[in-house]
Amino acid sequence: MKTVIYPLNYAVNAIKNSLHQAEDSLYRNGGAYSDEERLIAEHSVERAFIGLLILCEHLGLGHALQQIEGLFQEAKGHFLDYKMGPDGPYLIWGEKIRHYVDGIAAAHGLETTSAADITALKEIIKRTLHVICSPNLFPALPASKADIHDRIEAILKCHFDDLKRTPVLLRPPRHFAADSAIPSLKTLIEYQFVDTLPTATLVAEYISAGIHSTCPQWEHLLRVVYETRPFLSEEEWIASLQDGEPGRPYSIIILTGDKSTSPNSMFGRLSATLNKVRR
């Protein structure tokens, strides 16, 4: 039976997302759940089990299906049992589910996000510049990191329906919090807003410090830097990235508002005209 890759990819990601929800809750409270948190976490593990059972049946994996059915019955009433591992607590049944899911994903070539997928994501982000700076859509240019985050994320959500805002990461590196996450691409996104040369220098130093490695379940980290005007050359930004942690799957995208909002650009002329009308 021929398996269609995209639906399979969605099914695998749905199971993993359910596990992430339960694991994030465990990581936050160390097993001391409130009644509501416990109910949500238990439901997440149960949903992951059911998703895995349906997936195995769809793929015709009879032997695995029988094994997982046995595990499911054994786990009922104990979905949130956990142990302490070298990296912190982990859900016992979540790990058992993940073994099967990872095996299925690897067997169908879903373990690694393709370079083409990441390239496509980068192109989408680069093309957001004219939209996030458009005077037809916004009363003012981006003036903070929150503006950049809100505007770009709204566009990405149209392309990636599994996008998560400010995701809670399992065992996150110190001093790092992702702004957006796309589980289907195993990618985290971090936004930076730069409006002065000193800020540009600080952001470049932050990037080159290399203190924020990606989390185990994420393969890529994209840093999106929005400059109100060019403060550093693209070569300088890329150099700061390369100074960080060689070989790590990091990328940087520079968006410069000056390029789309200068007086000579279409958006700049339109913005100036609208400002005159508003006065």
Side-chain angles (χ1 to χ4, degrees):
M1 178 177 63
K2 183 178 180 180
T3 302
V4 180
I5 292 297
Y6 284 116
L8 177 58
N9 194 28
Y10 293 149
V12 167
N13 285 328
I15 296 170
K16 289 188 174 183
N17 287 341
S18 294
L19 292 179
H20 288 331
Q21 290 176 2
E23 290 166 341
D24 287 342
S25 182
L26 172 65
Y27 179 75
R28 286 196 306 271
N29 56 43
Y33 300 95
S34 67
D35 290 342
E36 182 179 4
E37 288 174 332
R38 176 173 292 278
L39 185 64
I40 293 173
E42 287 178 338
H43 178 68
S44 296
V45 177
E46 184 176 21
R47 186 170 62 234
F49 259 119
I50 293 172
L52 181 57
L53 287 168
I54 293 173
L55 180 59
C56 287
E57 184 175 12
H58 173 71
L59 295 175
L61 304 176
H63 183 60
L65 182 62
Q66 290 180 354
Q67 291 179 330
I68 297 164
E69 285 176 339
L71 292 176
F72 187 31
Q73 295 304 319
E74 186 180 351
K76 287 182 177 179
H78 305 280
F79 286 136
L80 302 185
D81 287 359
Y82 68 92
K83 291 182 178 180
M84 292 299 298
D87 297 321
Y90 67 92
L91 293 173
I92 295 173
W93 299 108
E95 282 300 297
K96 292 183 183 296
I97 292 172
R98 183 170 279 107
H99 290 162
Y100 286 95
V101 174
D102 288 346
I104 292 172
H108 291 85
L110 301 180
E111 278 298 276
T112 303
T113 304
S114 72
D117 291 333
I118 300 302
T119 298
L121 172 60
K122 292 178 184 177
E123 286 302 313
I124 292 172
I125 293 175
K126 289 176 182 178
R127 292 174 183 174
T128 64
L129 181 61
H130 292 313
V131 176
I132 67 176
C133 294
S134 171
N136 290 328
L137 300 175
F138 302 102
L141 294 172
S144 66
K145 175 178 175 176
D147 286 345
I148 298 301
H149 187 175
D150 291 342
R151 297 182 190 187
I152 293 180
E153 192 171 78
I155 297 170
L156 293 179
K157 189 68 175 177
C158 297
H159 296 271
F160 306 97
D161 57 8
D162 63 334
L163 183 146
K164 297 183 181 299
R165 183 181 180 86
T166 55
V168 177
L169 304 177
L170 186 66
R171 299 189 293 275
R174 293 183 61 189
H175 310 299
F176 174 74
D179 296 309
S180 303
I182 304 177
S184 58
L185 297 185
K186 299 182 181 179
T187 297
L188 300 176
I189 302 174
E190 180 185 35
Y191 304 102
Q192 296 289 347
F193 177 82
V194 173
D195 58 352
T196 65
L197 181 57
T199 302
T201 303
L202 287 174
V203 171
E205 290 175 352
Y206 164 76
I207 292 173
S208 64
I211 60 174
H212 25 257
S213 302
T214 51
C215 298
Q217 68 269 37
W218 304 95
E219 293 181 355
H220 305 276
L221 171 60
L222 295 184
R223 291 191 175 87
V224 180
V225 178
Y226 174 88
E227 298 179 290
T228 55
R229 63 181 179 82
F231 292 103
L232 298 178
S233 68
E234 189 165 354
E235 290 74 17
E236 288 174 308
W237 283 115
I238 293 175
S240 70
L241 185 71
Q242 293 172 341
D243 288 342
E245 293 183 58
R248 298 297 293 175
Y250 298 160
S251 297
I252 189 167
I253 298 173
I254 308 301
L255 302 177
T256 304
D258 180 70
K259 291 180 179 178
S260 63
T261 58
S262 65
N264 294 325
S265 71
M266 177 184 68
F267 288 96
R269 293 195 300 271
L270 181 55
S271 180
T273 301
L274 289 176
N275 286 335
K276 289 180 181 178
V277 172
R278 288 166 183 157
R279 293 194 189 102

